[in-house]
Amino acid sequence: MNLKSQGSKLLQGAFILSAAAILSKLIGTLQKIPLQNLGGDAVFGIYNTVYPLYTMLVTVAMLGLPSAVSKFVAEASAGREEQEGHRVLLLSSILTGASGIVIGVLVYAGAPLISVWVGNSHITPALRSSAWGLAVVPLMAALRGYFQGLHNMVPTAVSQVVEQSVRVAVMIALLLYLTSIRADASGIAAGALLGSAGGGAAGLLVMLLYLRRHRRRQAEPELAAASEAAAPAAWERETIPARRKASARIRKLLAYGLPVMLGALAVPLIGLVDVFTVPRLLSSGGSEAAAMAQFGIYNRGLPLVQIVTMLATSLSVVFIPALAEAKYRGDPGLIQTRVSLSLRWFWLLGLAASAGLAVLAEPINAALYGDASGSGTMAWLAFTAAFGAVSIISSALLQGLGAVRAPALHLLAAALLKAALILLLVPQQGITGAAVASVAAHGFAAALNVLLLHRQGHLRLRPADGLLRPALLLAGLSLAAAAASCAGGAAAAAAGLGGSRTAALGQSLLGVLAGCAVFAIGAVALRLLSESELRQLPGFGPRLADTLKKLRLLP
């Protein structure tokens, strides 16, 4: 395969994987809305307490091996050493499978103790349900790493979509059944968490089917050689050398994978601060059940915020190779342009989403969740979208420029700040204090990343571009969204629909449309992004500029 066709294959694979990641994350994010609608705020609170813990434990159980497998299989494939790739896959599968089972058993047995640490006994059944997912998801991730190492992204993409789809289907089916038999909140939440195991099993099955087909396509002599290597006679003859080689491979895999795992743990750390502090602090002023209901209300805004950060996460992979290429070419001007445009682009999008959600918090809350409880908290939490998007993109930019550890350390510092603010604010302000702490933490992480880019000479900070003109744009966006929402509410009241979810949905949609229109017009009028600048954004910039020109939103 020549370099051009190989590069085309890599780009096509990256596009497939990014599209599947966006779709699967969108499914996983939006499933929280029917979860709250069917189960209520208490179930929603329990789920949002346990799921971040589950995500962290899955990350630990994977041991960073999917990345290690991808790297070493790619190297083996480049050297046409397919059998070495098979051995790497076998060892990583054993390690991740065993790790997942061990951690799953520990979680199941230690669920009451973990509940004590969190400060709420209602999460025990849900913790035990999540343990089943730990038994299958890490092994599935190792198989994904194998195919990614072969530059075949289709199995990973298909398994991601299947996993999320089955997870949501199982969750909703169990929710409908458990609510119909009037199970308590703990039992309903436990049923919802079983969806993770169902989705993981479906995703693993997909990967095993792809692995089976892949091996069938390999040459017969290679398969025969693999069979002979696995035969009892060969094992007897080469027991000691084989074991030594296996031990060396295991050490090599773990040496690469464990630092990756530790870096990955920094991302969910900010969410885990909520889990280990907010429920306990809320319980101190009332019952554990009421604390879980309040925690559920606090989490209402997260699915909407996560759509913005999900987009930033999915697109961040574009900037790492783009910055690495510019750095390799020794072009500081190109680096500075790409860093500046990327940050400004996502800062504007994040601010627009935050301002819109804050202004429309009450009708959106009522439309999605049936009542307006916690709308003030949702309005505060909305601003994590802007700071979270900048934090994610700036982390990707730093990684592309070779600063791999700094973003993780900044997230750790932000998590410590959040913990301190939660302990200070939640006793006085309840869940609103937790939302303020979350905004401050994400803002702190984003500021540390941006300042590091500035100190390294890759970014020039211009207050007019970053603060003054965006403030004018947001003022217009907010006024337009609020006016359209109020007009929609008045029309609904005149039609006799005032106070209904339908009316709230109409208000929300009118506000969003008005805000988007003003944002598009204002961004052009204030010259926040020019056509030439858009075209310099890596990957999607030229296509976006062409689209905006066709819509006559660019001069």
Side-chain angles (χ1 to χ4, degrees):
M1 181 182 294
N2 59 43
L3 291 176
K4 185 175 181 180
S5 61
Q6 185 179 17
S8 176
K9 183 178 178 182
L10 286 172
L11 287 174
Q12 183 182 17
F15 173 78
I16 292 171
L17 198 57
S18 297
I22 291 173
L23 179 58
S24 62
K25 287 177 181 178
L26 190 62
I27 294 171
T29 298
L30 295 181
Q31 56 92 21
K32 293 183 178 181
I33 295 171
L35 170 62
Q36 188 275 343
N37 285 195
L38 292 170
D41 288 321
V43 171
F44 198 49
I46 295 171
Y47 182 91
N48 282 290
T49 301
V50 174
Y51 195 75
L53 280 169
Y54 166 77
T55 302
M56 182 199 70
L57 291 170
V58 166
T59 303
V60 173
M62 289 190 298
L63 302 172
L65 292 183
S67 297
V69 172
S70 178
K71 170 182 166 60
F72 294 128
V73 168
E75 291 175 355
S77 178
R80 298 190 179 279
E81 298 177 355
E82 285 79 6
Q83 291 303 316
E84 178 64 20
H86 294 164
R87 295 185 187 100
V88 168
L89 173 62
L90 176 62
L91 289 174
S92 63
S93 298
I94 293 172
L95 288 171
T96 54
S99 174
I101 291 172
V102 169
I103 294 177
V105 170
L106 291 174
V107 169
Y108 192 93
L113 179 59
I114 298 173
S115 300
V116 172
W117 294 343
V118 172
N120 199 294
S121 61
H122 289 75
I123 70 171
T124 300
L127 278 169
R128 285 180 167 160
S129 291
S130 71
W132 295 99
L134 289 164
V136 293
V137 172
L139 176 57
M140 174 186 65
L143 292 172
R144 287 176 178 173
Y146 175 73
F147 281 101
Q148 289 170 27
L150 296 175
H151 306 306
N152 183 1
M153 307 301 176
V154 174
T156 297
V158 173
S159 71
Q160 282 181 337
V161 175
V162 169
E163 178 193 5
Q164 287 286 25
S165 300
V166 172
R167 182 169 78 87
V168 173
V170 171
M171 184 196 76
I172 291 177
L174 288 173
L175 279 172
L176 291 171
Y177 170 71
L178 292 168
T179 52
S180 69
I181 63 172
R182 299 184 183 279
D184 61 9
S186 298
I188 295 173
L193 263 299
L194 274 177
S196 298
L204 177 59
L205 178 61
V206 168
M207 295 307 303
L208 290 174
L209 290 173
Y210 271 107
L211 182 64
R212 181 184 179 188
R213 188 169 72 175
H214 170 70
R215 289 191 168 177
R216 282 182 173 179
R217 288 179 176 178
Q218 291 182 329
E220 290 297 330
E222 293 177 356
L223 292 175
S227 300
E228 290 176 7
W235 175 256
E236 292 296 333
R237 288 194 303 269
E238 300 184 8
T239 297
I240 295 176
R243 287 181 179 177
R244 285 177 178 171
K245 289 180 180 179
S247 297
R249 290 190 189 98
I250 290 172
R251 289 194 297 271
K252 192 176 179 182
L253 283 167
L254 292 177
Y256 185 90
L258 289 178
V260 173
M261 179 202 75
L262 293 174
L265 285 176
V267 177
L269 196 59
I270 290 184
L272 283 174
V273 172
D274 287 333
V275 170
F276 285 101
T277 56
V278 178
R280 180 182 295 276
L281 292 170
L282 294 174
S283 297
S284 64
S287 68
E288 290 185 346
M292 279 293 101
Q294 280 293 298
F295 194 58
I297 292 172
Y298 166 72
N299 279 280
R300 285 185 179 189
L302 285 182
L304 301 174
V305 169
Q306 286 170 351
I307 291 176
V308 179
T309 55
M310 172 200 72
L311 179 64
T313 301
S314 299
L315 293 177
S316 66
V317 297
V318 176
F319 298 103
I320 296 177
L323 265 294
E325 177 193 1
K327 184 180 179 182
Y328 177 78
R329 288 165 54 181
D331 190 341
L334 180 60
I335 292 174
Q336 194 172 93
T337 298
R338 287 182 170 176
V339 168
S340 175
L341 289 176
S342 304
L343 284 175
R344 198 172 354 143
W345 174 250
F346 280 95
W347 174 235
L348 287 174
L349 286 181
L351 280 177
S354 296
L357 180 55
V359 169
L360 301 173
E362 187 169 338
I364 288 176
N365 197 8
L368 296 180
Y369 300 110
D371 60 61
S373 299
S375 294
T377 299
M378 182 182 286
W380 271 105
L381 203 61
F383 288 95
T384 60
F387 294 123
V390 172
S391 175
I392 290 166
I393 294 300
S394 57
S395 293
L397 295 173
L398 286 168
Q399 289 169 11
L401 293 167
V404 179
R405 295 182 181 178
L409 294 174
H410 294 167
L411 283 173
L412 178 60
L416 294 174
L417 173 65
K418 183 178 182 180
L421 289 175
I422 283 176
L423 293 174
L424 178 66
L425 298 175
V426 171
Q428 287 81 30
Q429 301 180 26
I431 56 175
T432 300
V436 172
S438 184
V439 173
H442 283 88
F444 186 56
L448 289 176
N449 287 346
V450 169
L451 287 174
L452 180 57
L453 287 168
H454 175 67
R455 285 200 304 270
Q456 291 179 344
H458 303 311
L459 176 67
R460 290 182 182 177
L461 297 176
R462 297 186 177 96
D465 291 337
L467 297 175
L468 298 181
R469 284 188 286 178
L472 292 174
L473 179 62
L474 292 182
L477 181 155
S478 301
L479 287 172
S485 178
C486 289
L497 296 174
S500 65
R501 291 185 74 170
T502 302
L505 180 60
Q507 288 181 256
S508 302
L509 291 175
L510 285 173
V512 169
L513 290 174
C516 288
V518 170
F519 176 79
I521 295 170
V524 175
L526 293 170
R527 299 184 180 276
L528 289 171
L529 287 171
S530 66
E531 180 184 352
S532 61
E533 288 177 329
L534 280 176
R535 292 190 181 280
Q536 292 181 60
L537 285 171
F540 58 90
R543 292 192 296 272
L544 182 61
D546 290 337
T547 301
L548 293 178
K549 277 192 73 70
K550 288 179 182 178
L551 296 173
R552 297 184 179 179
L553 295 176
L554 282 177

